[in-house]
C-alpha cells in the first residue's frame, strides 16, 4: 500500500491529475466553451509537438519517440480517413491498441540514448517501419479485414460491453501498465498513464478517442517535465536530492532548524583498496539509510562522500537521536566486495549544529556543522559531534 502511494505521489501525481481532468471533460463536454472546442480536437497535435520539442531540447530521445508515436497514431485515426476503406480504418484503429503498449513497455526498459545519434536514429527507423507496415496492410481491404478479425479476438463473450476494446489488447495494456508503474520513475509512470488514457477512451467509444489522446500526450508532457526536474535536482547515483535542491530547502527554513553534515569514514582509502564500483555501492547503501533517517530530517547529497541532513523545526537535541540511530545502523552494515572472501564495515562521522541568535544564516549553520564533522573525525570517527 505504501509502495503504491509512493508511486502515485512521487512519480505519477501530475500525470494522473491530467488523466482525471480529461476524463471529466469527456464525461461533461459542456464544460468546454464552444470557442475552445477545437482545442480538444487539435490539442493532442499541439501537446505532441510541444513535448517532442522539449524532449529534443533535453536530449530525451524516448520522450520524442513516444510523442511521435502518439501524434502519428492520432492523425491516422482522426485526420486521415481518406484513401482507406472502412476495413482498413478499423484495422488501423485496433492495431494502435497493440502498437502503443508494446512500444511504451519496451521504452520503459530502454536506456536513454538521446535523439541525433546512431541509436536514436535507429529507434526512429524502427518506429517508421512499424507504421509503414501498418499503413501498407490497412491499404489492402481484404488483408485489413482479415487482420482485424485476428486482432479483435474475444476470449469470453461480453456482449456489447467493451465492444471496441479487443480483450488481448486489454490484457496487454494491463500488464504493460503494471510493469511500467513498478519501475517507479516519472517518465515510465507517464507512459503507463498514457496507455490507461487510450484504453479508457477506447472502451468509452469512438467519440472519446480525442480525449484519450489529449490525456495521453498531456501526461507524457507532464512526465517529461518531472524528468527534467529530476535531472536538475536529484543525484543520479544515490537517488537523493542534490546540492541545488539543498539550496532551495535552506532558503525555505524558518526560525528553528538543525543541520547535520556527515561523510563516510576513510572513503578514499576504501575506493583505492576495492575500486570505485564498490565505493558506489557504499554510497548507495548509506543513501538508502539516509533516506529514512527519521526525526523529520531530509537528506541531500552535498558532494562526493559528503551528505547533509536538514531538520526543519527541530533543535539539535531532537535531531541527535535519529542521527545516532542512523550511525549505528550504518555501522552494523556489512559490504561484500566482489572477488573478496570477506565483508567490510562502513562507518560515518556526523557534525550537527542548530540555528541560534548568533548564527541565523542557514549556510553559516551548515558551515558550523561541517566544523563539527571535522571535530568528530579528529575525535576518532564513527560518532556524532554536536
Amino acid at each position: 500500500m505504501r509502495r503504491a502511494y509512493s508511486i502515485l505521489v512521487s512519480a505519477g501525481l501530475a500525470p494522473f491529475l491530467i488523466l482525471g481532468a480529461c476524463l471529466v471533460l469527456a464525461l461533461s463536454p459542456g464544460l468546454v466553451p464552444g470557442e475552445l472546442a477545437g482545442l480538444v480536437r487539435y490539442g493532442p497535435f499541439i501537446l505532441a509537438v510541444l513535448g517532442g520539442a522539449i524532449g529534443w531540447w533535453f536530449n530525451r530521445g524516448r520522450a520524442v519517440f513516444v510523442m511521435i508515436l502518439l501524434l502519428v497514431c492520432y492523425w491516422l485515426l482522426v485526420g486521415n480517413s481518406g484513401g482507406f476503406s472502412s476495413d482498413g480504418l478499423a484495422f488501423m484503429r485496433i492495431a494502435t491498441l497493440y502498437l502503443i503498449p508494446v512500444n511504451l513497455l519496451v521504452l520503459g526498459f530502454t536506456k536513454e540514448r538521446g535523439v541525433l545519434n546512431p541509436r536514436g536514429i535507429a529507434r526512429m527507423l524502427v518506429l517508421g517501419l512499424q507504421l509503414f507496415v501498418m499503413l501498407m496492410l490497412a491499404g489492402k481491404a481484404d488483408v485489413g479485414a482479415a487482420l482485424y478479425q485476428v486482432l479483435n479476438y474475444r476470449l469470453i463473450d461480453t456482449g456489447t460491453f467493451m465492444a471496441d476494446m479487443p480483450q488481448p489488447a486489454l490484457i496487454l495494456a494491463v500488464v504493460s501498465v503494471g510493469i511500467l508503474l513498478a519501475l517507479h520513475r516519472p517518465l515510465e509512470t507517464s507512459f503507463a498513464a498514457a496507455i490507461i488514457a487510450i484504453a479508457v477512451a477506447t472502451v468509452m467509444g469512438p467519440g472519446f478517442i480525442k480525449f484519450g489522446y489529449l490525456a495521453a500526450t498531456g501526461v507524457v508532457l507532464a512526465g517529461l517535465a518531472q524528468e527534467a526536474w529530476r535531472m536538475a535536482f536529484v543525484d543520479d547515483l544515490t537517488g537523493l536530492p542534490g546540492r541545488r535542491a539543498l539550496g532551495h530547502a535552506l532558503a525555505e527554513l524558518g526560525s528553528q532548524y538543525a543541520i547535520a553534515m556527515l561523510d563516510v569514514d576513510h572513503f578514499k582509502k576504501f575506493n583505492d583498496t576495492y575500486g570505485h564500483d564498490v565505493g558506489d555501492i557504499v554510497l548507495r547503501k548509506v543513501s538508502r539509510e539516509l533516506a529514512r533517517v527519521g526525526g523529520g530530517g531530509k537528506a541531500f547529497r552535498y558532494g562526493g562522500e559528503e551528505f547533509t541532513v536538514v531538520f526543519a523545526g527541530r533543535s539539535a537535541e531532537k535531531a541527535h537521536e535519529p542521527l545516532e540511530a542512523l550511525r549505528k545502523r550504518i555501522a552494523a552494515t556489512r559490504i561484500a566486495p566482489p572477488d573478496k572472501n570477506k565483508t567490510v564495515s562502513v562507518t560515518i562521522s556526523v557534525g550537527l549544529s542548530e540555528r541560534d541568535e548568533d548564527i541565523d544564516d542557514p549556510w553559516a549553520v551548515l558551515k558550523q556543522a561541517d566544523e563539527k564533522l571535522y571535530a568528530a573525525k579528529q575525535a576518532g570517527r564513527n560518532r556524532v559531534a554536536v
Side-chain angles (χ1 to χ4, degrees):
M1 189 66 171
R2 290 181 63 186
R3 171 75 169 170
Y5 177 79
S6 176
I7 291 173
L8 177 63
V9 172
S10 65
L13 184 58
F16 283 106
L17 284 176
I18 294 172
L19 190 59
C22 288
L23 182 60
V24 170
L25 290 178
L27 295 174
S28 305
L31 294 175
V32 182
E35 297 81 0
L36 300 178
L39 287 178
V40 175
R41 178 178 176 83
Y42 298 106
F45 294 111
I46 297 170
L47 293 179
V49 172
L50 178 61
I54 294 174
W56 192 297
W57 179 264
F58 285 105
N59 203 32
R60 302 286 95 179
R62 294 187 303 156
V64 174
F65 182 97
V66 171
M67 286 301 191
I68 293 175
L69 174 64
L70 294 175
L71 187 149
V72 173
C73 287
Y74 182 64
W75 175 70
L76 290 174
L77 294 179
V78 304
N80 191 43
S81 58
F84 292 98
S85 65
S86 58
D87 289 333
L89 289 173
F91 162 71
M92 281 198 301
R93 179 184 60 78
I94 208 168
T96 60
L97 300 176
Y98 292 88
L99 189 68
I100 291 173
V102 167
N103 279 277
L104 268 59
L105 181 59
V106 170
L107 286 173
F109 289 91
T110 304
K111 292 183 178 180
E112 187 57 64
R113 299 297 186 185
V115 183
L116 290 179
N117 55 58
R119 293 188 180 183
I121 293 173
R123 185 180 292 166
M124 296 299 175
L125 290 175
V126 169
L127 172 62
L129 179 62
Q130 294 177 71
L131 296 172
F132 173 76
V133 171
M134 184 177 72
L135 289 173
M136 183 179 67
L137 295 174
K140 301 179 181 296
D142 53 341
V143 175
L147 290 175
Y148 174 83
Q149 295 300 323
V150 172
L151 296 179
N152 198 33
Y153 178 75
R154 300 283 162 172
L155 302 172
I156 57 175
D157 184 14
T158 59
T160 58
F161 179 64
M162 292 197 304
D164 294 315
M165 185 69 182
Q167 292 171 4
L170 179 61
I171 295 172
L172 175 62
V174 170
V175 171
S176 300
V177 167
I179 295 174
L180 289 169
L181 286 178
L183 295 176
H184 193 189
R185 294 193 294 261
L187 202 55
E188 283 74 7
T189 300
S190 73
F191 292 170
I195 295 173
I196 293 173
I198 292 172
V200 170
T202 302
V203 169
M204 294 175 70
F208 294 91
I209 196 66
K210 57 186 177 183
F211 293 100
Y213 275 87
L214 180 66
T217 51
V219 297
V220 174
L221 182 58
L224 180 58
Q226 289 179 298
E227 178 77 2
W229 179 90
R230 187 194 63 80
M231 291 168 57
F233 290 95
V234 178
D235 176 63
D236 281 337
L237 176 64
T238 64
L240 293 176
R243 191 161 178 173
R244 181 175 295 178
L246 172 63
H248 285 263
L250 294 183
E252 297 171 356
L253 289 173
S255 59
Q256 185 180 39
Y257 55 85
I259 299 176
M261 287 291 293
L262 63 92
D263 73 2
V264 181
D265 294 328
H266 302 295
F267 186 72
K268 184 178 185 304
K269 182 179 179 181
F270 195 96
N271 261 348
D272 293 341
T273 303
Y274 299 108
H276 291 280
D277 290 343
V278 179
D280 289 346
I281 294 174
V282 170
L283 292 178
R284 283 194 288 266
K285 284 185 175 290
V286 170
S287 299
R288 279 197 291 271
E289 296 296 336
L290 274 167
R292 57 187 189 95
V293 61
K298 184 172 183 180
F300 302 83
R301 188 181 185 190
Y302 189 78
E305 72 274 22
E306 286 191 303
F307 300 87
T308 304
V309 184
V310 178
F311 295 88
R314 299 288 194 277
S315 64
E317 181 181 1
K318 291 183 178 180
H320 180 268
E321 183 178 347
L323 288 171
E324 183 65 25
L326 171 71
R327 182 194 65 79
K328 291 178 179 178
R329 289 199 308 271
I330 292 176
T333 300
R334 307 292 295 182
I335 305 292
D339 303 325
K340 302 288 183 181
N341 296 322
K342 64 175 182 178
T343 59
V344 295
S345 61
V346 177
T347 62
I348 61 170
S349 296
V350 185
L352 176 63
S353 182
E354 67 177 10
R355 179 194 183 276
D356 57 28
E357 294 180 358
D358 297 326
I359 305 177
D360 60 0
D361 176 56
W363 289 102
V365 177
L366 185 146
K367 182 178 180 182
Q368 188 175 65
D370 197 43
E371 293 171 355
K372 293 297 180 182
L373 169 60
Y374 180 76
K377 288 183 172 294
Q378 292 295 103
R381 293 182 168 85
N382 190 25
R383 65 192 64 221
V384 179
V386 183

